[in-house]
Amino acid sequence: MSELQPAVAPRAVKALVQRIERDAARLERGVAFMEVCGTHTHAIARAGIRRMLPPNVRLISGPGCPVCVTPIDYMDRAVALARRADTIVATFGDLVRVPSSSSSLERESAAGHDVRIVYSPRDTLRIARENPDKHVVFLAVGFETTLPGIAAMLEEAELAQLANVRILAGAKLIEPPLRALIADGEIAVDGFLLPGHVSVILGADFYAFLEQELAVPGVIAGFAPADILLGVSRLVELALEGSARVENLYPRAVSQRGNPVARELLARWFEPEDSRWRGLGEIPLSGLRLRERFAHRDANRLEMQLDPTREPRGCRCGDMLKGKIEPHQCPLFDRACTPLNPVGACMVSGEGTCAAWYRHERLEVAR
Ligand code: SF4
């Protein structure tokens, strides 16, 4: 079943929906499963999977979109760096429209400051070579999936003695928020749809803590509709069995051990630190900072004129990232807040829950 290929997907989708309906009818209470990957959030919305499920099986979105969980003070620092005359900010495109307390990188770029959208962290090296008199700062936001590429870029900068390359570290780890959500207990999570991409690096064995310590089941799933439905179906079965197993339903990409080379690279450059998450607050040892011996690559060491931090008024991204509400329950959704005029980060990123609902589920909600 886990080797489903796109060619058999339509028939597989129908069979899986029927299987979920059949099994869900045997549940004694409604269940809620949380996806913790922005790509899953988007794929679920695009395929209309929520509407395929019986009413007693609910999918809720968690803190899986790296742009969305990045706190506003990180964007304030990015904006402050962009305003420095001797600094170029290099970033993936999804961060440029995220509001800071008083601006955004897009607005700073329009005001003449040097903000460059890049498609790979390695593009930072080219920009640094072309601009030897400027600091070139890459905005290092992401989970365990993105960070090895950034560490590799830094390693190359060291080898090439490119002294003007720095990063603004904003990386997050996936395990601490899962623990925090369960410990918090505000939301009853009956199982996790675990992130396919992050799991390629971490490996399936990494999630043993869910079963052994938190007693919450999880399935690692791919991103095609059949992959996701297979994951939901298995979570329903585990709920019926009362089991807290963690299963890898995506073995074509995720191994048991993950990618040790990528993890070693991460460990060489970064160490865990307490980190603030939008909506979840500070979570112990949930972020990554550069190790002290690489302090010369840390953009936080550059002087910055910071604006006072101000959260966007009325935005409920925080509740969204905890799975407490759905986008249409935010009073600003599709009114003051749209992808063209985003109030919060969840409406900006392609992986953000509000953006995914706006694109794919808005009309269904309006009915
Ligand atoms: S709809 Fe906009 S304002 Fe409301 S939670 Fe989402 S991003 Fe924030």
Side-chain angles (χ1 to χ4, degrees):
M1 287 298 288
S2 54
E3 293 299 327
L4 287 169
Q5 297 301 317
V8 299
R11 227 178 316 145
V13 164
K14 196 170 172 202
L16 285 165
V17 170
Q18 286 170 346
R19 193 209 289 186
I20 293 168
E21 283 171 351
R22 187 196 63 212
D23 289 340
R26 294 166 50 219
L27 288 167
E28 288 174 0
R29 60 173 181 84
V31 287
F33 304 130
M34 176 178 274
E35 88 268 0
V36 281
C37 169
T39 312
H40 273 151
T41 301
H42 194 78
I44 287 166
R46 188 176 53 209
I49 285 178
R50 244 178 289 273
R51 296 190 295 281
M52 297 180 199
L53 300 177
N56 61 342
V57 177
R58 213 157 60 87
L59 291 183
I60 51 179
S61 300
C65 157
V67 171
C68 307
V69 299
T70 298
I72 197 157
D73 65 281
Y74 180 91
M75 295 314 302
D76 291 341
R77 280 180 285 144
V79 161
L81 287 166
R83 287 174 179 163
R84 285 173 54 108
D86 65 348
T87 300
I88 298 170
V89 168
T91 176
F92 291 137
D94 48 3
L95 273 181
V96 293
R97 298 183 59 236
V98 175
S100 70
S101 294
S102 65
S103 181
S104 68
L105 291 170
E106 186 178 52
R107 279 203 241 159
E108 295 305 315
S109 174
H113 298 297
D114 204 342
V115 177
R116 313 257 182 116
I117 293 177
V118 296
Y119 296 96
S120 157
R122 285 194 79 230
D123 294 342
T124 311
L125 304 177
R126 177 184 45 77
I127 298 169
R129 282 193 187 95
E130 291 167 359
N131 299 273
D133 54 336
K134 298 262 176 97
H135 297 291
V136 182
V137 177
F138 181 75
L139 301 186
V141 163
F143 286 96
E144 287 94 334
T145 337
T146 320
L147 267 287
I150 296 170
M153 179 274 284
L154 289 170
E155 196 121 315
E156 217 175 318
E158 286 288 288
L159 285 172
Q161 299 184 337
L162 281 170
N164 58 337
V165 171
R166 292 179 185 248
I167 64 162
L168 186 64
K172 304 282 191 233
L173 302 170
I174 196 68
E175 179 183 342
L178 301 188
R179 287 183 181 275
L181 279 166
I182 297 302
D184 180 71
E186 261 189 274
I187 291 291
V189 178
D190 296 291
F192 286 111
L193 199 61
L194 295 165
H197 296 143
V198 167
S199 305
V200 169
I201 305 295
L202 297 178
D205 290 344
F206 175 84
Y207 299 102
F209 71 95
L210 284 179
E211 181 173 358
Q212 291 165 9
E213 296 175 49
L214 304 184
V216 178
V219 295
I220 300 167
F223 300 98
D227 286 320
I228 295 169
L229 284 165
L230 178 65
V232 174
S233 170
R234 192 63 195 124
L235 284 171
V236 171
E237 287 171 354
L238 291 170
L240 281 170
E241 293 164 14
S243 167
R245 285 182 59 177
V246 175
E247 295 186 357
N248 179 12
L249 304 182
Y250 195 32
R252 64 183 188 267
V254 177
S255 65
Q256 290 303 115
R257 289 182 59 236
N259 184 333
V261 175
R263 286 201 308 274
E264 276 163 29
L265 193 56
L266 268 186
R268 186 153 67 239
W269 277 86
F270 297 100
E271 61 187 358
E273 68 170 348
D274 297 349
S275 179
R276 230 150 354 90
W277 296 56
R278 197 184 290 258
L280 304 183
E282 181 150 313
I283 304 179
L285 302 179
S286 64
L288 289 176
R289 68 173 168 223
L290 281 167
R291 290 190 180 278
E292 188 57 31
R293 65 177 179 274
F294 299 121
H296 56 288
R297 299 290 178 192
D298 187 355
N300 281 309
R301 310 270 170 140
L302 298 175
E303 200 177 315
M304 297 180 219
Q305 301 289 324
L306 289 170
D307 292 333
T309 298
R310 228 170 354 106
E311 296 289 343
R313 200 177 318 156
C315 174
R316 298 192 62 191
C317 263
D319 288 336
M320 206 81 61
L321 295 165
K322 282 181 175 169
K324 282 172 71 177
I325 63 166
E326 291 177 339
H328 63 97
Q329 292 169 297
C330 169
L332 306 187
F333 180 76
D334 198 16
R335 294 184 179 91
C337 184
T338 65
L340 272 181
N341 184 27
V343 175
C346 303
M347 188 56 97
V348 180
S349 168
E351 296 194 345
T353 310
C354 299
W357 276 66
Y358 187 92
R359 275 196 200 107
H360 304 295
E361 307 203 70
R362 182 168 46 116
L363 299 178
E364 290 302 320
V365 167
R367 274 180 201 162

